[in-house]
Amino acid sequence: ETGVTQTPRHLVMGMTNKKSLKCEQHLGHNAMYWYKQSAKKPLELMFVYSLEERVENNSVPSRFSPECPNSSHLFLHLHTLQPEDSALYLCASSQDQAGTGELFFGEGSRLTVL
Amino acid sequence: KQEVTQIPAALSVPEGENLVLNCSFTDSAIYNLQWFRQDPGKGLTSLLLIQSSQREQTSGRLNASLDKSSGRSTLYIAASQPGDSATYLCAVLGVSNDYKLSFGAGTTVTVRA
């Protein structure tokens, strides 16, 4: 138990569906992140939020839309995805705003796009 | 752009043997380096964080060293156990890469009973 909870753990969706991934951290951290992990590839940073403000959008397609309503919750809204978007999506948090501290990850949401 | 390489990609050892995992990075201007463990289908668990001013960090059977000038870090796991079987990833936070950890592809370790 890392203090970062992700739901759902598994999601299967068609290319025309709209779904959302949820992340909640119970650590009192100030920064939250979305990462994508595809098979045989290093983790890719997607988004960073610091004190609920987006500070990084790492050239992610607009079919991925993040939302951070407060410092404990982070969402990733998905729409009109492609099969190549199938991957493990990992949420993480860190204590400080500058991203220099230790990262704590959730268990991930395994997404399959048909 | 920071490149992080982990060699070997996979490693199989008998129980009790010491593990040595290597990580190299191309840009030595870093804030910190972090080692993670990932079990199949699961998230990442932080093992050790080494700040750029440190040479090593230890936690139980784990010891990680950092040589910034040569762009290398090594994770040592003493007296390996089958429960140590997992993928180990290193990640580097570069000075010129605010917020962006650069990850290696990982080393998958199998400890045979």
Side-chain angles (χ1 to χ4, degrees), chain B residues 1 8 16-17 31 40 48 52 57 61 65 70 76 78 81 86 88 101 109 112:
Chain B
K1 181 189 170 189
E17 191 164 302
Y31 281 127
L48 291 166
S52 62
Q57 277 281 15
R61 293 184 294 112
S65 65
S70 66
Y76 300 90
Q81 304 167 359
Y88 293 82
L101 273 178
V109 171
R112 307 185 302 272

Side-chain angles (χ1 to χ4, degrees), chain A:
Chain A
E1 178 59 52
T2 63
V4 181
T5 305
Q6 289 187 243
T7 54
R9 292 293 314 281
H10 301 274
L11 179 63
V12 179
M13 59 188 288
M15 290 192 284
T16 58
N17 291 157
K18 287 186 180 181
K19 297 284 184 184
S20 296
L21 306 181
K22 179 183 174 182
C23 177
E24 184 175 358
Q25 58 97 359
H26 310 275
L27 301 168
H29 287 171
N30 293 315
M32 296 186 76
Y33 311 76
W34 279 116
Y35 280 87
K36 176 183 178 182
Q37 187 176 36
S38 304
K40 308 297 183 187
K41 285 185 172 182
L43 269 75
E44 302 169 54
L45 178 66
M46 299 176 73
F47 301 103
V48 181
Y49 277 81
S50 181
L51 294 175
E52 302 153 39
E53 284 191 27
R54 191 191 309 180
V55 296
E56 179 70 31
N57 176 348
N58 200 26
S59 303
V60 180
S62 59
R63 58 186 184 269
F64 294 91
S65 174
E67 179 190 1
C68 187
N70 55 61
S71 59
S72 298
H73 292 87
L74 184 65
F75 295 89
L76 188 62
H77 303 302
L78 317 168
H79 60 99
T80 59
L81 295 190
Q82 305 297 313
E84 60 264 29
D85 296 322
S86 298
L88 182 67
Y89 289 85
L90 292 162
C91 173
S93 70
S94 65
Q95 172 85 41
D96 59 83
Q97 303 166 42
T100 56
E102 188 175 5
L103 276 188
F104 293 82
F105 281 84
E107 293 285 327
S109 294
R110 172 69 63 186
L111 173 66
T112 302
V113 182
L114 301 176

Side-chain angles (χ1 to χ4, degrees), chain B residues 43-65:
Chain B
L44 278 66
T45 301
S46 177
L47 296 175
L48 291 166
L49 173 73
I50 311 177
Q51 301 293 351
S52 62
S53 58
Q54 297 175 313
R55 296 296 296 269
E56 67 176 346
Q57 277 281 15
T58 298
S59 176
R61 293 184 294 112
L62 276 61
N63 174 277
S65 65

Side-chain angles (χ1 to χ4, degrees), chain B residues 73-92:
Chain B
S73 177
T74 303
L75 178 66
Y76 300 90
I77 303 177
S80 62
Q81 304 167 359
D84 294 328
S85 299
T87 297
Y88 293 82
L89 299 105
C90 76
V92 173

